[in-house]
C-alpha cells in the first residue's frame, strides 16, 4: 500500500468569508493549484459587511499579483490605485519631526559596510545633510515623482521598489473576478452550523441558512475578527499583545482630495495614537488609530475630522480590535487568513502582506491529505515568526520617541518591550548594526529608517569606516547626494504618470 493510500485526500477547499482575505486566498489557490483539479468554493454573505480599512500596501503585493497573473494596468484602473514609494512619519520622534521610511536602500554599500555607517561618522558636518537625502525613493516622494525602477543593477534607479495605494472595497471584487475566471465557485449565504468529525474533531461540513450543506477537506477561515471556524468552532486561542500595542480602536472616513497626488502614505502621530492619509485616484482615505485607555471615541473622531484636507464623503466608521494573533493559525483542517488569524494595526501597511504570506506559505506546504501534522507545525512556526517580527517593528515606532506631552507617549516611551526588540535596540545604539533576519518582512534599511528618523543615533560606527580617508568619503557622499537628486528630478510627476498610463489603457 502506498504512503497516501487509505488517507483522505484534499480535493475540496472551502474558503469561508469574502473580502480582501477571502478573495485573495481563492485567487491564489485557483491560480496556482487550479490545474490540479482542486475544487475551490468561497462562501460569503452580502449581508455581512467587510472592514475595508486597509488601502496601503508593501512592495510584496506586486510579486503576489504578478505570480497569480494579475495585469498591473487593469488592477490599478479597477481599484483607483496610485503608486507608493514609502511611508511618511510625522511627529513620531518629536512634534514637528518628519521622515520617510522608503521602499529602498540608503546610498550604496562600500567594501561590505552599510552606507548608514559612513553617514553616521560624518553626520552633522557641513554639506553632509540628513540620511534620507541619500535615498532615491525619499527624494522622489518629496518631489511627488514616480517612475518604475530600472532592471539594471548598476543604475541608481534600481535601488528602490514600489507598492500600491488602492481602494480595498474595489480590490475584493477585482480579485473575485480573477478567481472566478479560474474556476472558483462562489456561494451566497450565511453559515449557521459547523459539523465536526466525531473522532478527529476536523471540520467536515458547513450548513447554510437556506439548508444547503457545503462539504470540504480543508477550510480557510476568512471571517474576520469573528473567527467563525478557527475560534468559535475550534477554540484556537489568542495571544493578546495589547500590553505593547495598546491601540484598540480606529475611526475611518474618506474625503475629497485637495492637493498633489503624492506617491506615499502619511502616518501622523497624535495625543494617543496616529492618523493615516492614503491618496487614491478618486479620493483620499483617512483614519485615526488610538487607544481607548487614553482617548475617548468622540475626541478621536474630532481629531480625524479636523485634519481632513477636503470635504468628507461618508460618515465616520468605528472599528474595535485587540492586537495579537491566534495561538494556532492552522488548527486541524482549518487555516485562518486575514483578520481571523490576527491583527497588527496598519502602521506599516502589513495587513495585506500577512494575508499574502499566509496564502503563499499554504501553497508551499499544501498537503496531499489530511494527515499533515508536519505541514501544520511548519506553517504555524513560520507565521508566528512573521507576526512577531512585524509586532516588534511596530512597537519600535512607539517606543523610540522623545515625546513626553501625554500620558500615552510617556507610557509607550518607558514601557518594557519584548526581549527580541530590546536586543536589537542595544546592538544598534552601540555600533549602528542591525542584525539581519534570515526570514522576516522588514530588512536592515527599514530599521535604519525608523531608528535614525526617530533620533536614535548609534554612539559609535563600524570600525571599517575609518579605514578610508575622510576626504575621500566626504567627496563620495557629496557626489552620491547630487546623483540621487538629479536622478529623482528626472522622474515623471506621479499624477502625470498615472494620467498618461490611464490614457494608454483607454486607448488600448
Amino acid at each position: 500500500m502506498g504512503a497516501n493510500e487509505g488517507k483522505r485526500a484534499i480535493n475540496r477547499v472551502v474558503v469561508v468569508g469574502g473580502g480582501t482575505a477571502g478573495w485573495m486566498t481563492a485567487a491564489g489557490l485557483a491560480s496556482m493549484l487550479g490545474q490540479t483539479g482542486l475544487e475551490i468554493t468561497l462562501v460569503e454573505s452580502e449581508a455581512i459587511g467587510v472592514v475595508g480599512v486597509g488601502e496601503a500596501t508593501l512592495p510584496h503585493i506586486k510579486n503576489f499579483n504578478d505570480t497569480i497573473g494579475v495585469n498591473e494596468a487593469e488592477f490599478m484602473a479597477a481599484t483607483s490605485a496610485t503608486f507608493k514609494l514609502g511611508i511618511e512619519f510625522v511627529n513620531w520622534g518629536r512634534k514637528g519631526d518628519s521622515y520617510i521610511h522608503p521602499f529602498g536602500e540608503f546610498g550604496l554599500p562600500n567594501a561590505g559596510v552599510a552606507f548608514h555607517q559612513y553617514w553616521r561618522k560624518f553626520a552633522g558636518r557641513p554639506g553632509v545633510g540628513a540620511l534620507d537625502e541619500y535615498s532615491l525613493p525619499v527624494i522622489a516622494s518629496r518631489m511627488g515623482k514616480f517612475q518604475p525602477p530600472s532592471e539594471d543593477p548598476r543604475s541608481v534607479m534600481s535601488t528602490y521598489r514600489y507598492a500600491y495605494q488602492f481602494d480595498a472595497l474595489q480590490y475584493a471584487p477585482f480579485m473575485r473576478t480573477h478567481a472566478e475566471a479560474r474556476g472558483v465557485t462562489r456561494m451566497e449565504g450565511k453559515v449557521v452550523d459547523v459539523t465536526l468529525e466525531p473522532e478527529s474533531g476536523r471540520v467536515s461540513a458547513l450548513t447554510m441558512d437556506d439548508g444547503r450543506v457545503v462539504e470540504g477537506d480543508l477550510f480557510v477561515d476568512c471571517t474576520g475578527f469573528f473567527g467563525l471556524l478557527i475560534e468559535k468552532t475550534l477554540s484556537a486561542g489568542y495571544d493578546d499583545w495589547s500590553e505593547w500595542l495598546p491601540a484598540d480602536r480606529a475611526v475611518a472616513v474618506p474625503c475629497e482630495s485637495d492637493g498633489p497626488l503624492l506617491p506615499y502614505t502619511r502616518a501622523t502621530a497624535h495625543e494617543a495614537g496616529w492618523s493615516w492619509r492614503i491618496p487614491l485616484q478618486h479620493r483620499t482615505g483617512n483614519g485615526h488609530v488610538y487607544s481607548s485607555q487614553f482617548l475617548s471615541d468622540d475626541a478621536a473622531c474630532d481629531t480625524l475630522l479636523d485634519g481632513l484636507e477636503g470635504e468628507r464623503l461618508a460618515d465616520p466608521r468605528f472599528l474595535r480590535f485587540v492586537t495579537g494573533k491566534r495561538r494556532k493559525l492552522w488548527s486541524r483542517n482549518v487555516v485562518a487568513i486575514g483578520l481571523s488569524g490576527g491583527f497588527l494595526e496598519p502602521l506599516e501597511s502589513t495587513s495585506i502582506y500577512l494575508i499574502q504570506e499566509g496564502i503563499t506559505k499554504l501553497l508551499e506546504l499544501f498537503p496531499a491529505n489530511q494527515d499533515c501534522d508536519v505541514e501544520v507545525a511548519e506553517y504555524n512556526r513560520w507565521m508566528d515568526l512573521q507576526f512577531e517580527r512585524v509586532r516588534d517593528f511596530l512597537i519600535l515606532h512607539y517606543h523610540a520617541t522623545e515625546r513626553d506631552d501625554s500620558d500615552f507617549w510617556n507610557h509607550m516611551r518607558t514601557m518594557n518591550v519584548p526581549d527580541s526588540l530590546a536586543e536589537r535596540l542595544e546592538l544598534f545604539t552601540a555600533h549602528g548594526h542591525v542584525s539581519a533576519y534570515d526570514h522576516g518582512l522588514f530588512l536592515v534599511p527599514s530599521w535604519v529608517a525608523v531608528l535614525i528618523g526617530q533620533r536614535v543615533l548609534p554612539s559609535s560606527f563600524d570600525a571599517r569606516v575609518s579605514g578610508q580617508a575622510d576626504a575621500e568619503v566626504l567627496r563620495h557622499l557629496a557626489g552620491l547626494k547630487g546623483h540621487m537628486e538629479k536622478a529623482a528630478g528626472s522622474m515623471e510627476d506621479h499624477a502625470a504618470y498615472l494620467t498618461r498610463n490611464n490614457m494608454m489603457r483607454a486607448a488600448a
Side-chain angles (χ1 to χ4, degrees), residues 55 57 65 72-84 163-168 170-171 261-262 278-283 494-495 497-499 501-502 505:
E55 297 169 315
T57 61
N65 284 354
E72 181 177 78
E74 291 177 2
F75 152 69
M76 294 196 69
T79 62
S80 305
T82 57
F83 292 104
K84 176 181 175 183
Y164 310 104
Q165 299 165 138
F166 60 75
D167 188 334
Q170 295 176 345
Y171 184 57
L261 198 58
L262 299 174
I278 302 172
L280 308 179
Q281 291 187 32
H282 62 313
R283 62 172 174 80
H494 177 229
Y497 184 91
L498 285 168
T499 300
N501 281 272
N502 280 334
R505 283 195 288 272

Side-chain angles (χ1 to χ4, degrees), residues 140-364:
S141 293
R142 298 286 191 202
M143 292 180 173
K145 305 270 194 169
F146 178 79
Q147 181 176 314
S150 168
E151 296 182 2
D152 181 359
R154 298 168 299 177
S155 170
V156 72
M157 297 295 289
S158 70
T159 59
Y160 65 96
R161 297 185 296 163
Y162 66 89
Y164 310 104
Q165 299 165 138
F166 60 75
D167 188 334
L169 296 177
Q170 295 176 345
Y171 184 57
F174 175 81
M175 295 305 286
R176 172 183 170 180
T177 300
H178 189 84
E180 290 181 326
R182 285 153 182 79
V184 174
T185 299
R186 178 188 180 274
M187 182 177 292
E188 167 66 30
K190 187 176 180 181
V191 177
V192 295
D193 191 41
V194 180
T195 303
L196 300 180
E197 294 176 353
E199 290 187 10
S200 68
R202 297 187 181 106
V203 175
S204 61
L206 311 175
T207 302
M208 309 301 291
D209 50 3
D210 60 1
R212 287 175 297 171
V213 175
V214 185
E215 296 181 331
D217 305 310
L218 181 70
F219 292 80
V220 183
D221 187 340
C222 298
T223 61
F225 293 126
F226 188 66
L228 173 64
L229 301 183
I230 197 69
E231 191 60 42
K232 296 297 185 291
T233 304
L234 300 185
S235 302
Y238 195 79
D239 289 327
D240 183 340
W241 290 340
S242 56
E243 66 175 296
W244 299 304
L245 293 167
D248 58 353
R249 300 281 193 278
V251 54
V253 64
C255 74
E256 292 181 350
S257 300
D258 182 20
L261 198 58
L262 299 174
Y264 58 89
T265 302
R266 178 178 294 138
T268 303
H270 296 298
E271 175 188 348
W274 61 279
S275 64
W276 74 76
R277 177 192 180 277
I278 302 172
L280 308 179
Q281 291 187 32
H282 62 313
R283 62 172 174 80
T284 298
N286 310 276
H288 185 187
V289 177
Y290 59 99
S291 170
S292 62
Q293 299 175 53
F294 297 93
L295 194 69
S296 70
D297 291 347
D298 287 344
C301 190
D302 289 344
T303 296
L304 177 64
L305 296 179
D306 289 345
L308 296 183
E309 66 182 36
E311 185 174 344
R312 66 184 171 100
L313 300 174
D315 291 331
R317 290 193 305 122
F318 284 87
L319 178 70
R320 296 186 176 197
F321 55 85
V322 177
T323 301
K325 57 169 283 296
R326 300 288 172 207
R327 293 202 179 105
K328 290 184 179 179
L329 280 94
W330 188 339
S331 179
R332 301 179 202 172
N333 64 335
V334 172
V335 183
I337 291 180
L339 299 178
S340 61
F343 182 78
L344 297 177
E345 58 173 271
L347 182 59
E348 282 278 0
S349 309
T350 57
S351 294
I352 289 178
Y353 166 80
L354 289 167
I355 290 171
Q356 71 183 65
E357 190 65 17
I359 298 166
T360 301
K361 203 64 183 176
L362 174 60
L363 287 167
E364 179 185 321

Side-chain angles (χ1 to χ4, degrees), residues 352-423:
I352 289 178
Y353 166 80
L354 289 167
I355 290 171
Q356 71 183 65
E357 190 65 17
I359 298 166
T360 301
K361 203 64 183 176
L362 174 60
L363 287 167
E364 179 185 321
L365 296 171
F366 199 85
N369 56 65
Q370 290 192 341
D371 184 11
C372 57
D373 290 347
V374 172
E375 290 89 342
V376 171
E378 173 60 14
Y379 184 91
N380 285 329
R381 183 198 70 81
W382 179 268
M383 293 306 296
D384 285 353
L385 206 57
Q386 299 299 318
F387 269 87
E388 288 165 8
R389 286 176 170 171
V390 172
R391 174 202 68 191
D392 285 0
F393 193 59
L394 299 188
I395 296 170
L396 171 68
H397 294 66
Y398 288 105
H399 186 61
T401 183
E402 297 178 4
R403 289 190 59 166
D404 59 1
D405 53 291
S406 70
D407 291 341
F408 173 80
W409 288 108
N410 285 329
H411 169 72
M412 300 307 290
R413 191 186 70 255
T414 59
M415 71 179 179
N416 291 322
V417 299
D419 291 344
S420 49
L421 174 57
E423 291 164 3

Side-chain angles (χ1 to χ4, degrees), residues 1-11 368-372:
M1 176 179 282
N4 291 324
E5 290 185 42
K7 299 174 182 177
R8 182 182 297 174
I10 295 181
N11 299 315
N369 56 65
Q370 290 192 341
D371 184 11
C372 57

